Amino acid sequence: MADSATHAQPSSTDGQSRRDFLLYSTIAVGAVGTAAALWPFVHSMNPAADTLALSTTDVDLAAIQPGQAITVVWQGKPVFVRHRTEEDIALATKDDSAELRDKMADATRVQKPEWLIVVGVCTHLGCVPLGQKAGDPKGDFGGWFCPCHGSHYDTSGRIRKGPAPLNLPVPKYSFTSDTTIRIG
Amino acid sequence: MSGFQTNNKVISWLDERLPIFSMMQHSAIEYPTPRNLNYWWNFGSLAAFVLVVMLLTGIFLVMNYSSHTSLAFDSVERIMRDVNYGWLIRYLHMNGASMFFILVYIHMFRNLYYGSYKAPREVLWWVGIIIYLAMMATGFLGYVLPWGQMSFWGATVITNLFSAFPVVGQSIVTLLWGGFSVDNPTLNRFFSLHYLLPFVIVGLVVVHVWALHTVRSNNPLGVEMKGEADSIPFHPYYTIKDLFGIGLFLMFFLAFVFWAPNFFGEPDNYIPANPMVTPPHIVPEWYYLPFYAILRSFTMDLWIIPAKLQGVVAMFAAILILFFLPWLDTSKVRSAKFRPIYRQFFWLFLVDCLVLGYVGGKPAEEPLVTIGQLGTAYYFAHFLIIMPLLGKLEKPKPLPASISAAVLKEKA
């Protein structure tokens, strides 16, 4: 240290290591304190309690005919509810053995085979794929087609072609009766 | 430097305590500037001028804007229809954003052509890139505020980029959104940050100018100023030239504001945001298009790296690579004037950026996908292969002994 020349120190190495200890522990305490002070600000940007509270949606399935689909809102996102036809189901189970990017059997993606319920947000960059309405393009695999960057999903909502990495996710849901479900 | 002198007692009293006048004298009046700067050197001061325009118009827009999802779109329409001169202030702000990017792109390509990023101006260049990044963030945040269809879906696509990162990706996206989709919390924080970042940019501009005044301006010849004969004082020579430039620029700018105010915009943004319906063709603002093309040009998974992650990494890398340019360019000669081969590659690179921009604005269909992929490959090849090799292989033309020698020879 610079001042050791003018102020005689009894044992400089001893003093130095004690000072180093004080210096490093002060820095460490300061760093932990700063991080602790920062966290409330970062966490304030995460979903607030009222946002989290809007976490379930009830859907009545009775009016949806085979081959039809409806879109419901859950947590601000569209959820696709499709009443699958026999051909849809057959195609989906047949393709379990096809080459899949995100490998999942159709049976693991549904609770009742005729009802496919998936979050309608493309896993590429979050667009809403087309295929819900009668006139919509359904892609090469009979499911959905995302117009933004050309991802094709099959009748199980699995990614088959295009840039998206993952299948359309299946939200948590349960049948509250034979014809109603609760998502979330 | 002769220093600041005055007979006014009040001014000299103040200057001894806070040397504002000395500083102005030193860095805006006497500041020695190369005598041979051409009009491509006007674009820095023009960009600063537009920054001020953006701050002023923005502050007045905020007085009538509501950052709530149920009010935002209508409050912007109210600015357009009911607020006195609201249409003017908004069109100035809207077109000002495009102008800012046009000016900064010209400023950056000027820098590439004349090798201004080379020693000792690397840090000046770095600060410039950081300003550019801050501008891109600010522009993106601002585009979300009118809460039209493009606002909403642009925000959705861009924030979803972060989900490409393994493990933490989705948590980052939730943190950015403050919810489970782009919604009211997202709009509010974007508004807050859109107001903050321009002032950060002002701070960065101060640092940029500080670095500039430390290393001084490059010039079209790319040789350093060596003596008094090479330089002229900033005032009145460049103050008047910059003012003249602002006059010309205002004609260009206001022509859009008055006669084609929506030229740079997307009609879909005059449809209120609808989270349930994606527009058939989402395009970002024009100034991001080359990077959007790079993002989209990765369509195949490689081993365990998904195409999406590749695209996102490539897009960020396309900008970050600029930080390394001072070392990737191995040539000692700055100005393309004396680098006959680099000069051609410079124009090729410019064309490549324009092609990428064109591809980025079109739907992802063949043959544009392949063209975009070739354009992306060339973009990176320019920096990683062409620039390092060219410096070693190219034989530059002889440099003039000094700026004044070259200028006087031209006159003779």
Side-chain angles (χ1 to χ4, degrees):
Chain A
M1 281 193 180
D3 57 354
S4 60
T6 45
H7 305 279
Q9 278 187 344
S11 64
S12 65
T13 49
D14 238 26
Q16 258 179 26
S17 65
R18 227 177 329 161
R19 266 153 216 247
D20 284 349
F21 172 76
L22 280 173
L23 178 67
Y24 293 135
S25 49
T26 309
I27 291 172
V29 169
V32 171
T34 307
L38 211 58
W39 174 244
F41 293 92
V42 174
H43 196 46
S44 78
M45 292 176 73
N46 268 322
D50 63 333
T51 311
L52 291 170
L54 297 170
S55 56
T56 61
T57 298
D58 291 301
V59 189
D60 184 5
L61 305 176
I64 311 169
Q65 300 301 313
Q68 281 188 336
I70 61 161
T71 306
V72 297
V73 184
W74 172 64
Q75 292 187 339
K77 288 177 291 211
V79 171
F80 295 159
V81 179
R82 186 183 278 198
H83 194 163
R84 297 196 294 183
T85 60
E86 290 300 326
E87 299 88 80
D88 287 341
I89 300 168
L91 196 63
T93 43
K94 184 172 77 75
D95 282 354
D96 283 352
S97 50
E99 196 180 311
L100 297 172
R101 184 174 300 167
D102 181 10
K103 212 164 176 50
M104 272 176 104
D106 182 57
T108 62
R109 294 176 54 79
V110 288
Q111 294 182 14
K112 296 182 181 177
E114 63 270 32
W115 295 107
L116 177 68
I117 292 142
V118 288
V119 176
V121 174
C122 182
T123 58
H124 181 226
L125 293 172
C127 297
V128 179
L130 298 172
Q132 286 294 88
K133 294 201 199 91
D136 278 358
K138 288 185 160 58
D140 295 354
F141 300 89
W144 290 272
F145 171 71
C146 183
C148 290
H149 307 101
S151 291
H152 299 251
Y153 295 92
D154 67 11
T155 53
S156 189
R158 292 175 296 205
I159 179 66
R160 300 299 293 272
K161 192 176 153 190
L166 298 171
N167 303 332
L168 294 178
V170 178
K172 213 175 99 185
Y173 68 92
S174 55
F175 278 86
T176 44
S177 78
D178 276 353
T179 58
T180 55
I181 56 166
R182 170 168 291 173
I183 306 171
Chain B
M1 171 188 8
S2 63
F4 174 69
Q5 266 153 29
T6 177
N7 292 326
N8 186 318
K9 290 221 166 81
V10 178
I11 290 179
S12 71
W13 181 89
L14 181 64
D15 201 64
E16 279 160 24
R17 283 150 185 83
L18 183 70
I20 288 180
F21 296 98
S22 302
M23 196 191 76
M24 292 302 290
Q25 171 86 16
H26 176 58
S27 56
I29 295 176
E30 286 170 357
Y31 174 63
T33 320
R35 62 188 285 175
N36 60 333
L37 297 187
N38 57 30
Y39 274 103
W40 299 113
W41 263 261
N42 273 53
F43 288 84
S45 73
L46 284 176
F49 171 75
V50 173
L51 176 60
V52 174
V53 170
M54 294 304 280
L55 281 165
L56 289 176
T57 51
I59 286 166
F60 282 91
L61 284 174
V62 168
M63 295 179 190
N64 287 292
Y65 171 76
S66 304
S67 66
H68 190 280
T69 49
S70 62
L71 302 171
F73 187 88
D74 291 344
S75 75
V76 172
E77 285 309 305
R78 187 179 156 268
I79 290 171
M80 293 303 293
R81 292 149 200 258
D82 294 344
V83 175
N84 300 328
Y85 289 110
W87 59 271
L88 177 64
I89 298 173
R90 174 159 177 268
Y91 278 154
L92 283 170
H93 198 74
M94 223 171 98
N95 288 282
S98 284
M99 293 302 134
F100 203 177
F101 277 96
I102 291 175
L103 297 172
V104 163
Y105 279 133
I106 294 173
H107 191 60
M108 289 170 80
F109 275 101
R110 193 276 336 258
N111 166 81
L112 294 182
Y113 188 85
Y114 293 109
S116 303
Y117 50 82
K118 293 183 200 189
R121 297 183 180 82
E122 303 95 323
V123 176
L124 177 61
W125 168 235
W126 283 354
V127 178
I129 302 166
I130 296 168
I131 292 173
Y132 174 55
L133 284 169
M135 280 173 61
M136 298 232 270
T138 311
F140 161 68
L141 294 167
Y143 194 55
V144 177
L145 302 185
W147 208 241
Q149 271 292 66
M150 278 300 165
S151 300
F152 181 89
W153 290 102
T156 299
V157 168
I158 301 298
T159 48
N160 263 309
L161 292 180
F162 292 90
S163 71
F165 293 105
V167 191
V168 291
Q170 199 53 51
S171 311
I172 294 176
V173 174
T174 306
L175 183 72
L176 291 174
W177 286 341
F180 304 103
S181 57
V182 173
D183 210 331
N184 198 47
T186 325
L187 179 59
N188 273 296
R189 65 192 54 189
F190 278 21
F191 181 43
S192 168
L193 295 174
H194 183 70
Y195 207 111
L196 165 73
L197 278 181
F199 295 96
V200 174
I201 293 178
V202 170
L204 288 166
V205 168
V206 170
V207 177
H208 195 60
V209 172
W210 183 14
L212 172 71
H213 284 226
T214 308
V215 293
R216 302 277 157 84
S217 287
N218 185 29
N219 63 80
L221 294 170
V223 293
E224 293 289 329
M225 290 185 282
K226 285 175 186 126
E228 295 226 332
D230 290 345
S231 75
I232 45 178
F234 190 78
H235 180 75
Y237 296 106
Y238 287 111
T239 43
I240 205 73
K241 192 178 180 184
D242 282 347
L243 270 174
F244 179 63
I246 286 174
L248 289 182
F249 164 72
L250 275 174
M251 286 196 250
F252 179 75
F253 177 24
L254 295 179
F256 283 102
V257 170
F258 291 125
W259 294 307
N262 290 299
F263 178 80
F264 295 105
E266 281 293 322
D268 270 23
N269 221 27
Y270 286 104
I271 303 169
N274 181 353
M276 293 298 122
V277 180
T278 308
H281 178 46
I282 298 182
V283 273
E285 287 282 77
W286 68 266
Y287 32 85
Y288 307 116
L289 289 177
F291 301 105
Y292 196 55
I294 291 174
L295 169 78
R296 292 197 305 186
S297 64
F298 291 82
T299 51
M300 288 212 322
D301 294 353
L302 273 180
W303 302 297
I304 50 159
I305 310 165
K308 181 172 153 185
L309 181 59
Q310 295 169 34
V312 172
V313 169
M315 188 184 70
F316 285 115
I319 298 169
L320 296 182
I321 202 167
L322 297 174
F323 281 100
F324 300 96
L325 183 57
W327 297 275
L328 289 171
D329 182 350
T330 49
S331 173
K332 291 273 178 289
V333 177
R334 290 197 191 99
S335 174
K337 208 178 165 121
F338 304 104
R339 299 185 61 189
I341 303 174
Y342 169 67
R343 192 159 62 211
Q344 292 165 32
F345 279 108
F346 167 86
W347 291 110
L348 263 179
F349 179 69
L350 178 63
V351 168
D352 185 50
C353 290
L354 294 175
V355 167
L356 281 173
Y358 175 78
V359 170
K362 295 281 163 194
E365 288 160 2
E366 288 300 345
L368 291 176
V369 177
T370 311
I371 294 173
Q373 288 169 335
L374 292 173
T376 302
Y378 187 78
Y379 182 97
F380 286 101
H382 177 83
F383 289 109
L384 295 173
I385 301 169
I386 295 169
M387 294 303 272
L389 283 183
L390 211 53
K392 304 221 188 296
L393 300 178
E394 181 186 42
K395 191 175 179 299
K397 292 191 208 160
L399 292 175
S402 73
I403 295 172
S404 52
V407 171
L408 295 176
K409 206 175 96 192
E410 242 171 63
K411 287 226 177 84

